[in-house]
Amino acid sequence: MTTVLKMSDVNVTFTSGWGRRRTRSRAMKDVTLEVEAGRTLGVVGESGSGKSTTGSVALGLRRPDSGTVEVLGRPAAERGRALRGRVQAVLQHPHWSLNPRRRVGVSVREPLAVAARRLGREEQRERVVRILEQVGLDAATADRYPHELSGGQRQRVSVARALITEPGFIVFDEAVSALDVSVQSQILELIRELQASHTFGALFISHDLAAVRRVADTIAVMRHGEVLETAPAERFFTDPAHEYSRRLLAAL
Ligand SMILES: Nc1ncnc2c1ncn2[C@@H]1O[C@H](COP(=O)(O)OP(=O)(O)O)[C@@H](O)[C@H]1O
Ligand SMILES: [Mg+2]
């Protein structure tokens, strides 16, 4: 099986403030994680535990102080070159990736402009329609503006935008956290279905263990920047190894 994310002994420390007020916080401590092709690693933990930092390091957006990060067999820092279009992200708020003044079809097509420049206009348009249909939206959605859609529809658009370049690896960071429970459920189901047909590996980050449970094959628990436990989902939910994991499960 091929590995799409291989993170070894990654450390990230943030410093903030000046002079005597200068403080350091270790957002990632010797983090080691792997995501396999076609599989989902769920990362759970309370707010501030280092999940989003882990996501941005995996996306090559933040360079760690130490450790190595390989995505699809290349250093994550190559995001702008060899990995262009091969790695995508779906974030909590669709408005972070959807321009409110642009029609949905334009936003969905946008990643193709850098990743598949040679595709003709007509071919690009066809791809947009096809991907919108795959995320459960009709072709006419392409002509709508984000504010004309519901929260769930907007998040489907974000998923379409992430998928259009056929990435090998996708980072979902709190991708369903802003949605109502019933809409969350639909989007989680959609992610599962799409993974079966598109075979991307995923890092699914959420503070919500119930959401992670719906999509993850493997679970990693983070606290204070550390991975406390990594386990196959089945085993994690029946027999967690760490005391802290047991507490998270009890709260579920
Ligand atoms: N840009 C930043 N500057 C300073 N500290 C940060 C920054 N981003 C995150 N942190 C700190 O790093 C820790 C982990 O944050 P984060 O990765 O966002 O956690 P999570 O996503 O699990 O809530 C927190 O203590 C947070 O305050
Ligand atoms: Mg976060």
Side-chain angles (χ1 to χ4, degrees), residues 1 6 13 18 29 31 35 42 62 66 71 79 112 122 141 180 184 210 218 220 227 241 252:
M1 196 174 276
K6 205 175 166 77
T13 301
W18 297 96
K29 297 180 197 167
V31 170
V35 177
R62 183 174 293 286
S66 63
V71 173
R79 172 189 164 80
L112 285 179
E122 198 48 44
T141 314
D180 296 340
Q184 270 193 17
T218 309
V227 175
L252 197 64

Side-chain angles (χ1 to χ4, degrees), residues 1-7 34-37 58 68-79 82-83 86-87 168-169:
M1 196 174 276
T2 50
T3 305
V4 299
L5 171 69
K6 205 175 166 77
M7 201 180 255
E34 272 191 24
V35 177
E36 274 160 10
T68 57
V69 189
E70 264 186 26
V71 173
L72 302 163
R74 298 188 170 260
E78 282 187 19
R79 172 189 164 80
L83 291 174
R86 302 285 299 132
V87 181
F169 176 51

Side-chain angles (χ1 to χ4, degrees), residues 146-221:
H147 75 265
E148 298 176 278
L149 307 178
S150 68
Q153 287 172 324
R154 279 199 290 267
Q155 201 56 304
R156 284 173 193 267
V157 171
S158 304
V159 173
R161 185 184 144 94
L163 278 177
I164 194 143
T165 58
E166 291 288 339
F169 176 51
I170 305 181
V171 175
F172 295 87
D173 189 354
E174 304 285 1
V176 298
S177 303
L179 304 170
D180 296 340
V181 175
S182 67
V183 181
Q184 270 193 17
S185 181
Q186 293 164 15
I187 301 291
L188 293 169
E189 178 81 30
L190 174 71
I191 292 170
R192 239 5 203 171
E193 282 170 23
L194 290 169
Q195 195 166 35
S197 51
H198 291 258
T199 65
F200 51 84
L203 189 64
F204 187 90
I205 294 169
S206 176
H207 69 280
D208 181 0
L209 191 51
V212 170
R213 184 178 202 163
R214 298 278 306 275
V215 292
D217 302 291
T218 309
I219 311 276
V221 180

